């Protein structure tokens, strides 16, 4: 089997980046979101992404145009059913993901491979609610997708070798590097990264440092490209909280308890860059700390 057509479900920051990278690599891409405005915003971001590459002479203008033309908007989710590969990149909520796979189920082609870009949720559990756990995998991209080199590949208990090899091939074709992770809460990257971010939030909560001093300390003291609070805003505080909850519930260890301050920000709807407020306020010219 060769993968040529790809459906991306969810046109948020991850879905947009995934669609951009796949279309650039020559795949025919269908993009769907329950919010039609979000799809239009994603198309605008993708176009900007290609323009950025063209301006740096990393992409030929004709190739950029051709890549853009390979992205189609799916009016309804079920239109994606017969495609070769579906990448679910909707909100980090198990009920939403299950609902998407359940809706797709009667419309899927016999060969269609289902994947999820989940940051933390059990692949085996998501797969078990579909009709094809052997053709189901975790396909975890990093943010921002066009820049980050890594894709985590996570096999569920029933994932077959053919599916794994096909997805390994896809990672090579899009010019990225795969790392294999076992199916345990939050896999590798987020098992390590999110407790670090959560600890940074505790450091703020306990008054050990300010937003600025914590981020400066980690940027200049450990050479991280972004401070942990800036990175949390970049990922999305709702996504960070969802991952911490999966770690806390799945591993039953208090060391994964989400910081109450993270919970408070999410309850306020201050989700980081995407809502223009989180640990920083992005509404002005320059981000300024919100506490
Ligand atoms: C939560 C999960 O499930 C998993 C995750 O994703 S965890 C999060 C993983 N991501 C990270 O840790 C990101 C950490 N941050 C970084 O690596 C960097 O800050 C960054 C790459 C995002 C930006 O880098 P920077 O040096 O501050 O800014 P900038 O110079 O503007 O960008 C660097 C390059 O990336 C490109 N870039 C930056 N943001 C981009 C975007 N959103 N889309 C496309 N390209 C982008 C820039 O064009 C630039 O390219 P060149 O080097 O070719 O000129
Ligand atoms: N943010 C990050 O750094 C990373 C996130 N991920 C994972 O990727 C996934 C998406 O995250 P991200 O892009 O940040 O989230 P966003 O909130 O930016 O985007 C999610 C999108 O999914 C849409 N959506 C919600 N329900 C449905 C549905 N039933 N059908 C179709 N679309 C739906 C949302 O619409 P609406 O807003 O209207 O609800 C929203 O547009 C999550 O699983 C997350 O854990 C993985 C790696 C990194």
């Amino acid at each position: 089997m060769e993968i040529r057509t790809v459906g991306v479900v969810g046109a948020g920051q991850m879905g947009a980046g995934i669609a951009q990278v796949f279309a650039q690599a020559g795949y025919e891409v269908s993009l769907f979101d329950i919010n039609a405005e979000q799809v239009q915003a994603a198309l605008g971001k993708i176009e900007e992404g290609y323009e950025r590459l063209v301006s740096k002479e990393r992409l030929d203008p004709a190739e950029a145009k051709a890549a853009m033309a390979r992205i189609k908007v799916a009016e309804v989710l079920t239109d994606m059913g017969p495609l070769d590969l579906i990448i679910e990149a909707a909100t980090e909520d198990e009920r939403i993901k299950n609902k998407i796979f359940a809706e797709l189920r009667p419309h899927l082609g016999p060969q269609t491979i289902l994947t999820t870009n989940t940051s933390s949720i059990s692949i085996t559990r998501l797969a078990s609610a579909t009709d094809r756990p052997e053709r189901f995998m975790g396909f975890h991209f990093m943010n921002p997708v066009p820049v980050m080199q890594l894709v985590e590949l996570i096999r569920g208990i029933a994932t077959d070798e053919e599916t794994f090899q096909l997805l390994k091939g896809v990672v090579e074709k899009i010019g990225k590097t795969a790392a294999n992770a076992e199916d345990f809460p939050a896999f590798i990257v987020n098992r390590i990264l999110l407790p670090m971010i959560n600890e940074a939030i505790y450091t703020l909560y306990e008054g050990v440092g300010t937003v600025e001093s914590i981020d400066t300390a980690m940027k200049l003291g450990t050479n991280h490209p972004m401070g942990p609070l800036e990175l949390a805003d970049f990922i999305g505080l709702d996504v960070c909280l969802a991952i911490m909850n999966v770690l806390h519930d799945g591993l039953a260890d208090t060391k994964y308890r989400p910081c109450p301050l993270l919970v408070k920000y999410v309850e306020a709807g201050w989700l980081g860059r995407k809502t223009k407020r989180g640990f920083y306020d992005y509404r002005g010219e320059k981000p300024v700390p919100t506490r």
Side-chain angles (χ1 to χ4, degrees):
M1 178 192 179
E2 198 191 337
I3 292 173
R4 292 198 182 89
T5 54
V6 178
V8 180
V9 184
Q13 47 183 346
M14 295 307 290
I18 292 168
Q20 178 180 327
V21 164
F22 274 79
Q24 194 180 331
Y27 293 96
E28 294 295 330
V29 175
S30 276
L31 184 58
F32 173 79
D33 197 287
I34 36 164
N35 178 349
E37 280 172 24
Q38 189 78 350
V39 180
Q40 290 312 316
L43 292 176
K45 265 179 62 186
I46 294 169
E47 198 154 24
E48 271 172 35
Y50 289 144
E51 278 164 11
R52 198 196 297 224
L53 292 171
V54 169
S55 72
K56 287 181 185 159
E57 298 185 354
R58 296 224 185 100
L59 185 66
D60 185 79
E63 280 175 32
K65 203 170 161 213
M68 205 63 217
R70 279 193 287 271
I71 304 176
K72 306 275 180 314
V73 175
E75 299 297 334
V76 285
L77 173 67
T78 49
D79 284 354
M80 285 189 183
L83 302 184
D84 299 329
L85 169 67
I86 293 177
I87 305 172
E88 175 279 312
T91 309
E92 185 73 345
D93 178 324
E94 192 162 343
R95 282 165 306 180
I96 290 179
K97 293 184 187 298
N98 278 329
K99 192 164 165 269
I100 289 168
F101 291 124
E103 243 178 82
L104 280 167
R105 189 173 177 149
H107 305 273
L108 294 174
Q111 297 287 313
T112 302
I113 292 176
L114 293 178
T115 64
T116 172
N117 185 48
T118 179
S119 295
S120 59
I121 300 167
S122 165
I123 303 304
T124 300
R125 206 165 57 231
L126 287 170
S128 72
T130 73
D131 64 346
R132 57 193 67 205
E134 68 290 348
R135 296 181 81 71
F136 190 105
M137 256 186 73
F139 203 24
H140 185 211
F141 290 82
M142 305 294 134
N143 188 12
V145 182
V147 180
M148 304 299 281
Q149 188 58 34
L150 182 77
V151 184
E152 268 184 294
L153 290 180
I154 309 110
R155 277 174 279 195
I157 203 165
T159 308
D160 66 20
E161 187 61 21
E162 189 199 358
T163 302
F164 176 63
Q165 292 301 337
L166 273 168
L167 290 183
K168 257 176 76 174
V170 171
V171 173
E172 270 171 37
K173 189 164 169 199
I174 59 174
K176 298 208 182 281
T177 304
N180 303 333
E182 289 299 321
D183 185 20
F184 288 99
F187 323 123
I188 296 172
V189 170
N190 289 330
R191 170 77 179 263
I192 299 168
L193 179 67
L194 262 294
M196 191 272 285
I197 287 176
N198 195 47
E199 201 59 30
I201 304 170
Y202 270 113
T203 311
L204 176 68
Y205 179 62
E206 291 168 11
V208 181
T210 62
V211 169
E212 266 171 331
S213 64
I214 292 165
D215 276 350
T216 303
M218 293 304 286
K219 269 198 293 195
L220 303 186
T222 63
N223 265 2
H224 289 193
M226 286 176 168
L229 302 173
E230 187 190 356
L231 182 56
D233 275 358
F234 182 65
I235 291 170
L237 301 188
D238 53 338
V239 176
C240 292
L241 179 59
I243 299 169
M244 286 313 298
N245 280 330
V246 168
L247 281 167
H248 194 227
D249 295 346
L251 299 169
D253 190 324
T254 52
K255 75 178 175 183
Y256 299 113
R257 186 169 74 102
C259 179
L261 190 57
L262 173 61
V263 176
K264 186 185 277 196
Y265 273 71
V266 173
E267 283 173 351
W270 291 17
L271 307 182
R273 276 203 205 179
K274 63 184 165 190
T275 58
K276 302 228 181 301
R277 254 186 300 187
F279 293 108
Y280 293 86
D281 186 331
Y282 300 89
R283 291 171 301 172
E285 235 170 67
K286 249 184 77 191
V288 287
T290 48
R291 52 192 304 128

